Amino acid sequence: DVDLVTIEAGPNDWTEITLGQVGDIGDDTFLGNLRQCYEYLTEHTRARVVSNCISNSNDNGGKPFYKNQFGYTYRDYMNGVRELSKYYGITNIDVAGDLLGWGRKTADLLKDHIHYTELGGAVVGEFIWNKLKLVEPFPRFTKEEASL
């Protein structure tokens, strides 16, 4: 019985499992696993669901076209999150793309390949908070109102 659930997927996932397709439902792809999460949350909770795409340091240490062992870039995974979120009507906050310009604006914000500096944490935190404030909760009804 919560109003909001946020999901961050990608940074620890993209080197461990293949991307898959938006229609996947199984455990053997990144998007299949994420879809299972979305379906469970949208069918079994009353919460608004928000996904976050967090930067992976210039989309992989300044190498945005670097491909993992499955042949996909980090941005491919984040684009998959965006597409799947849109399909389920889930708000997507793409920090890597919308705030950090796919790695072009990270010099003072990241202290290593993924962790933010104090300034970076403040900037990213404010960006996410400003987006979360726009997400309207589902209305709450009393038992009497719900039975009408």
Side-chain angles (χ1 to χ4, degrees):
D1 186 31
V2 297
D3 292 321
L4 177 69
V5 173
T6 62
I7 297 175
E8 177 188 340
N12 294 322
D13 307 307
W14 84 284
T15 59
E16 302 300 320
I17 190 167
T18 192
L19 176 62
Q21 303 294 320
V22 169
D24 291 352
I25 193 67
D27 295 335
D28 57 340
T29 69
F30 173 77
L31 291 174
N33 280 282
L34 187 59
R35 180 178 170 187
Q36 289 177 64
C37 292
Y38 284 1
E39 287 192 359
Y40 179 84
L41 290 168
T42 57
E43 292 174 11
H44 294 77
T45 72
R46 56 170 301 284
R48 291 286 188 185
V49 180
V50 175
S51 67
N52 293 308
C53 294
I54 301 297
S55 176
N56 188 15
S57 179
N58 303 339
D59 284 348
N60 197 50
K63 301 174 188 159
F65 297 106
Y66 174 81
K67 294 186 177 183
N68 65 13
Q69 64 180 328
F70 307 105
Y72 297 102
T73 65
Y74 182 72
R75 176 52 34 197
D76 292 333
Y77 283 70
M78 297 304 92
N79 289 341
V81 172
R82 287 177 82 144
E83 186 178 347
L84 189 64
S85 297
K86 188 182 297 184
Y87 180 81
Y88 280 92
I90 290 173
T91 299
N92 177 258
I93 302 173
D94 188 349
V95 174
D98 295 337
L99 174 67
L100 301 177
W102 291 290
R104 292 188 303 273
K105 305 173 188 170
T106 59
D108 296 325
L109 303 180
L110 288 165
K111 60 183 171 184
D112 58 26
H113 71 287
I114 195 166
H115 300 98
Y116 296 107
T117 62
E118 188 172 333
L119 173 63
V123 168
V124 170
E126 184 173 342
F127 178 78
I128 291 173
W129 174 238
N130 286 327
K131 296 288 186 179
L132 287 175
K133 290 190 292 187
L134 300 175
V135 177
E136 296 204 20
F138 286 117
R140 288 187 178 263
F141 297 105
T142 64
K143 288 183 182 179
E144 293 80 29
E145 291 172 325
S147 65
L148 294 177

